[in-house]
């Protein structure tokens, strides 16, 4: 299982946030987030929003640190990033890409 996290540089609700993503499947991402204790409501389209104070927890649990640009590249490369309103709606039933 490989998931990735970018630095907590995204402001919102008085905090800084990171994006937690998978380059394989949404199922892998949901499983990692659940094990980390990240609530499902933090899932947005193709990533989890993780507050800065949980960044180190995610890395300790095995998330690989990458740039924000790399997060987008990984999602596109895996076919997991779609423009809003197009493509499949991400969810627990999304199929992993074949390796």
């Amino acid at each position: 299982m490989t998931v990735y996290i970018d630095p907590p540089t995204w402001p919102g609700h008085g905090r800084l946030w990171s994006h937690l993503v998978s380059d394989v499947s949404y199922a892998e991402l949901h499983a990692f987030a659940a094990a980390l204790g990240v609530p499902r409501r933090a899932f947005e389209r193709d990533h989890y929003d993780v507050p800065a104070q949980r960044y180190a927890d995610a890395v300790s649990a095995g998330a690989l640190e990458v740039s924000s640009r790399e997060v987008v590249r990984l999602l596109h490369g895996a076919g997991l990033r779609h423009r809003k309103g197009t493509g499949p709606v991400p969810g627990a039933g999304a199929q992993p890409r074949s390796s």
Side-chain angles (χ1 to χ4, degrees), residues 24-28 30 40 43 80 88-97:
V24 174
S25 71
Y26 298 117
E28 174 185 66
H30 293 314
R40 184 66 182 256
F43 181 71
L80 298 174
V89 175
Q95 297 297 312
R97 70 178 172 99

Side-chain angles (χ1 to χ4, degrees), residues 2-99:
T2 303
V3 297
Y4 303 86
I5 192 164
D6 65 1
T9 57
W10 302 95
H13 308 286
R15 297 179 178 186
L16 292 176
W17 300 83
S18 293
H19 298 123
L20 185 69
V21 304
S22 168
D23 68 345
V24 174
S25 71
Y26 298 117
E28 174 185 66
L29 179 60
H30 293 314
F32 185 91
L36 192 59
V38 177
R40 184 66 182 256
R41 70 179 177 274
F43 181 71
E44 184 181 338
R45 219 165 39 99
D46 56 13
H47 67 275
Y48 277 86
D49 291 322
V50 177
Q53 66 267 24
R54 298 295 315 274
Y55 182 84
D57 296 336
V59 173
S60 293
L64 298 179
E65 300 171 276
V66 297
S67 70
S68 298
R69 184 167 283 180
E70 183 69 3
V71 161
V72 173
R73 190 195 70 72
L74 289 163
L75 287 169
H76 279 291
L80 298 174
R81 167 69 46 113
H82 300 281
R83 288 191 175 125
K84 288 184 180 178
T86 66
V89 175
Q95 297 297 312
R97 70 178 172 99
S98 58
S99 299

